[in-house]
Amino acid sequence: GAVVSQHPSWVICKSGTSVKIECRSLDFQATTMFWYRQFPKQSLMLMATSNEGSKATYEQGVEKDKFLINHASLTLSTLTVTSAHPEDSSFYICSAASEIRGLGETQYFGPGTRLLVL
Amino acid sequence: AQKITQTQPGMFVQEKEAVTLDCTYDTSDQSYGLFWYKQPSSGEMIFLIYQGSYDEQNATEGRYSLNFQKARKSANLVISASQLGDSAMYFCAMRERSGGSNYKLTFGKGTLLTVNP
């Protein structure tokens, strides 16, 4: 249980285009999903917390107009990188929160999406 | 201030031996959770083990155990009988309330473990 998928796994795009990344919880419902970004050899940095049916909460320094997050259902959240530029190239990982194992809210992660903006 | 500190950027261990990865944390909350995740080169984050702040016993999951010393604010991960497949980046993380009913995880910088044959 607690499987999270992410699509696509790889994206290469031209500067100025928008890229949409999907995050799905496959076998559980997640009222809260999270989006992280990870640069090479660095730790995960939380970008935003997404609650189903409400606006996402962004971390300080993350541009909400650049990184659009939609959490339309209990199993799907999307991150859209608008007008992507080379500095947006990174590894984007989503997670979905669940209490199914009785450990309190535990985050289960998707496999990540590598974005390369040319 | 850094909330999760992993002081070992890299660690080496011989196959079949045990290894301890260090993690210290800083919080003023009474209720919190501590996690360890494994990140192989493929990038996925794999949940390994969890310790709640009120848990009196150290958590164990197969070959993984968590040495929880609350007074020292440390939550070290012990991997017994290391295997080649254990080579990966390991992250310690703390769950705290982020406002309202939401929680968030704060990650350490990670420790790169290499298991030698």
Side-chain angles (χ1 to χ4, degrees):
Chain A
V3 178
V4 178
S5 71
Q6 206 170 322
H7 178 79
S9 54
W10 263 103
V11 181
I12 301 174
C13 69
K14 292 182 179 180
S15 186
T17 59
S18 293
V19 175
K20 188 176 187 178
I21 303 170
E22 289 188 353
C23 177
R24 292 181 186 271
S25 56
L26 297 185
D27 52 3
F28 66 101
Q29 293 184 328
T31 53
T32 308
M33 289 184 168
F34 303 83
W35 288 95
Y36 295 84
R37 138 182 224 182
Q38 185 181 31
F39 290 107
K41 300 188 187 302
Q42 292 189 22
S43 188
L44 278 72
M45 296 301 295
L46 179 65
M47 299 174 66
T49 302
S50 166
N51 286 308
E52 184 263 339
S54 62
K55 290 184 179 180
T57 302
Y58 289 81
E59 294 298 298
Q60 196 171 10
V62 177
E63 299 174 57
K64 55 183 68 177
D65 294 332
K66 176 140 187 89
F67 299 99
L68 300 179
I69 291 171
N70 183 274
H71 193 160
S73 77
L74 288 172
T75 59
L76 173 64
S77 177
T78 60
L79 167 69
T80 302
V81 183
T82 61
S83 186
H85 290 284
E87 58 266 27
D88 298 323
S89 299
S90 188
F91 188 54
Y92 292 87
I93 316 178
C94 73
S95 70
S98 170
E99 298 191 29
I100 57 174
R101 289 186 61 179
L103 304 177
E105 190 177 286
T106 300
Q107 291 185 29
Y108 297 92
F109 286 81
T113 297
R114 296 190 188 278
L115 171 63
L116 177 61
V117 185
L118 303 176
Chain B
Q2 198 169 3
K3 290 194 170 186
I4 296 286
T5 303
Q6 294 180 253
T7 57
Q8 307 152 316
M11 286 284 284
F12 293 88
V13 65
Q14 284 298 122
E15 195 177 4
K16 299 180 185 177
E17 291 186 353
V19 63
T20 298
L21 306 184
D22 295 341
C23 173
T24 58
Y25 59 93
D26 182 29
T27 182
S28 56
D29 289 351
Q30 296 300 309
S31 177
Y32 52 89
L34 297 158
F35 296 80
W36 278 91
Y37 287 88
K38 172 185 177 182
Q39 188 179 41
S41 56
S42 58
E44 61 186 309
M45 294 285 285
I46 303 167
F47 165 69
L48 295 179
I49 196 166
Y50 165 82
Q51 181 84 42
S53 57
Y54 294 118
D55 295 341
E56 294 185 351
Q57 296 211 337
N58 286 341
T60 59
E61 285 278 358
R63 293 186 299 111
Y64 304 109
S65 60
L66 201 152
N67 184 359
F68 182 46
Q69 298 189 39
K70 195 170 182 176
R72 291 187 177 185
K73 293 190 175 178
S74 75
N76 298 339
L77 176 70
V78 180
I79 305 174
S80 62
S82 296
Q83 301 172 356
L84 295 179
D86 293 335
S87 294
M89 196 74 165
Y90 288 80
F91 290 99
C92 179
M94 180 169 63
R95 178 184 69 204
E96 295 179 294
R97 280 201 181 275
S98 62
S101 59
N102 281 336
Y103 292 90
K104 70 175 182 180
L105 285 181
T106 302
F107 286 86
K109 291 187 175 181
T111 296
L112 181 62
L113 176 66
T114 303
V115 180
N116 294 318

